[in-house]
């Protein structure tokens, strides 16, 4: 299973489909084929591995796969049926598929007389696939809200200036998080105030290979010369202030990992709506005072209504700290290492 997890890392970290790896063993426990999923429209990991065997080569074999084999027809056929037709005798998987349409592969395999074992190294695979599993279970993207602030919770000085609160190492980590996301979301206020490019860049300012699609939320017009129009992906404009409507549309567009990097108004709207799966909070060892707070009204009127978080990790980046946290009630469902 650990080899299958390593294979899964070869797949794209963004997109609709999960990263899945598969190892096929013969009757003596020897590896006879390996495969992984390379992205939407390509063979799933099980089929990729089976394709490397001659006809009949998987008869009596064991397939070890990180995610329960799917049981539906999308861009490709159901992996459960492919394994049955190949004559696989046993399937071992780590995590059940939470997808409404794609789940049920284990039951189909058992129905066909295939021995099925689930839950092997489940914790490791849940940590690896945490964002995708959450998105599949909830039917919406996995949403990370990010902000950078002073220790007293200010995202800008009283006059609105904010470049730069955090140092180079923290800013580079933000670019890495952007690159690991399908979409980056900001409000029109952020575009008008800061003119961000919303790209993911390397240390030397070069564009990284993977870029999030820029999404601008709000009804105000954006100047034609705005930097976001030079992004490698066309900008998506969402003319709404309803974040639930926004999230539904982003999911319908195929986005499964969304990085919210807007200002306090947009961030607070996501928090108030209960639509945050993970917080990425960058803290700089400085004090600013004044009114420019990271969050505004999040519909907490008394201490009993506070929104408690579970801290996943605290990382020092130069002089700054990155705190990753999740809502306390679902912390166990989040990934630890990505």
């Amino acid at each position: 299973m650990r080899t299958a997890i390593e294979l899964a890392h070869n797949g794209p970290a963004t997109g609709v489909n999960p990263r899945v790896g598969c190892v096929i063993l013969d009757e003596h426990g020897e590896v006879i084929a390996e495969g992984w999923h390379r992205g939407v429209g390509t063979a799933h990991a099980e089929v990729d591995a089976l394709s490397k065997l001659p006809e009949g080569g998987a008869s009596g074999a064991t397939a070890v796969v990180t995610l329960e084999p799917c049981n539906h027809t999308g861009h490709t056929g159901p992996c459960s049926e492919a394994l049955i037709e190949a004559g696989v005798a046993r399937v071992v998987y780590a995590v059940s598929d939470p997808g409404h349409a794609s789940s049920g592969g284990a039951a189909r395999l058992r129905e066909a007389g295939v021995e099925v074992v689930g839950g092997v190294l489940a914790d490791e695979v849940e940590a690896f696939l945490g964002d995708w599993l959450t998105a599949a279970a909830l039917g919406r993207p996995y949403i990370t809200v990010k902000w950078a602030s002073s220790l007293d919770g200010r995202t800008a000085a009283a006059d609105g200036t904010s470049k730069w609160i955090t140092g180079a190492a923290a800013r580079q980590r933000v670019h890495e998080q952007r690159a690991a996301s399908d979409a980056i979301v900001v409000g029109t206020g952020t575009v008008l105030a800061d003119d961000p490019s919303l790209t993911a860049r390397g240390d030397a300012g070069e564009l990284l290979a993977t870029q999030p699609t820029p999404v601008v939320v709000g009804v105000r017009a954006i100047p034609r010369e705005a930097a976001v129009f030079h992004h490698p992906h066309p900008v998506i404009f969402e003319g709404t202030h309803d974040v639930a409507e926004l999230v539904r549309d982003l999911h319908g567009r195929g986005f499964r990992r969304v990085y919210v990097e807007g200002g306090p108004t947009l961030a607070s709207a996501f928090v108030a709506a209960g639509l945050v799966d993970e917080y990425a909070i960058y803290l700089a060892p400085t004090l600013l005072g004044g009114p420019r707070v990271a969050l505004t009204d999040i519909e907490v009127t008394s201490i009993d209504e506070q929104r408690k978080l579970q801290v996943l990790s605290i990382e020092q980046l130069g002089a700054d700290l990155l705190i990753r946290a999740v809502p306390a009630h679902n912390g166990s469902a989040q990934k630890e290492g990505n």
Side-chain angles (χ1 to χ4, degrees):
M1 184 62 77
R2 286 206 169 89
T3 299
I5 294 171
E6 290 174 7
L7 292 167
H9 278 82
N10 293 321
T14 58
V16 174
N17 292 348
R19 290 184 285 176
V20 180
C22 177
V23 177
I24 298 180
L25 309 174
D26 65 16
E27 294 175 349
H28 307 290
E30 298 295 326
V31 175
I32 55 175
E34 297 177 344
W36 67 87
H37 183 51
R38 291 166 172 78
V40 64
T42 66
H44 288 190
E46 301 93 320
V47 175
D48 183 47
L50 290 171
S51 70
K52 297 168 184 175
L53 296 173
E55 185 174 351
S59 180
T62 294
V64 180
V65 61
T66 52
L67 184 68
E68 176 189 8
C70 69
N71 194 46
H72 82 303
T73 299
H75 291 282
T76 60
C79 292
S80 56
E81 298 297 338
L83 292 165
I84 293 167
E85 291 174 11
V88 168
R90 187 169 182 250
V91 172
V92 178
Y93 69 90
V95 176
S96 296
D97 188 333
H100 201 56
S102 54
S103 61
R108 175 68 187 101
L109 289 163
R110 291 191 180 100
E111 181 184 273
V114 178
E115 180 186 355
V116 179
V117 177
V120 176
L121 296 187
D123 288 347
E124 292 186 26
V125 175
E126 285 174 357
F128 172 63
L129 280 180
D131 51 6
W132 184 88
L133 291 169
T134 298
L138 297 178
R140 64 160 176 77
Y142 183 95
I143 298 168
T144 299
V145 169
K146 167 263 176 183
W147 67 77
S149 72
S150 59
L151 286 182
D152 56 341
R154 269 59 181 183
T155 58
D159 64 356
T161 56
S162 61
K163 294 184 178 181
W164 296 102
I165 292 176
T166 54
R171 297 199 299 273
Q172 187 54 45
R173 181 57 55 84
V174 170
H175 285 288
E176 294 168 4
Q177 290 182 324
R178 289 179 178 182
S181 304
D182 297 316
I184 177 171
V185 180
V186 299
T188 54
T190 294
V191 175
L192 293 170
D194 299 336
D195 193 26
S197 66
L198 303 183
T199 52
R201 302 184 297 278
D203 290 331
E206 75 282 8
L207 291 177
L208 297 179
T210 304
Q211 294 290 324
T213 296
V215 178
V216 178
V217 181
V219 297
R220 286 185 285 179
I222 302 301
R224 290 185 177 274
E225 63 272 16
V228 71
F229 289 114
H230 300 289
H231 195 284
H233 298 307
V235 61
I236 295 172
F237 288 98
E238 295 279 357
T240 181
H241 294 295
D242 184 338
V243 290
E245 177 185 336
L246 165 65
V247 167
R248 284 193 295 271
D249 185 66
L250 295 179
H251 187 265
R253 292 175 182 270
F255 298 136
R256 296 297 179 266
R257 301 159 190 85
V258 169
Y259 195 65
V260 178
E261 204 175 335
T265 300
L266 188 61
S268 299
F270 273 92
V271 176
L275 289 172
V276 183
D277 298 299
E278 183 173 332
Y279 293 85
I281 303 169
Y282 291 84
L283 291 179
T286 189
L287 303 173
L288 293 175
R292 308 276 183 164
V293 292
L295 294 177
T296 56
D297 181 17
I298 57 171
E299 299 184 3
V300 172
T301 58
S302 71
I303 197 66
D304 292 337
E305 298 172 348
Q306 64 184 294
R307 296 175 180 268
K308 294 186 177 181
L309 305 181
Q310 174 188 339
V311 174
L312 296 182
S313 64
I314 300 175
E315 180 181 2
Q316 185 148 3
L317 297 166
D320 308 312
L321 297 178
L322 166 57
I323 299 176
R324 291 180 56 238
V326 297
H329 64 274
N330 69 338
S332 61
Q334 311 306 320
K335 58 184 180 178
E336 297 290 335
N338 197 359

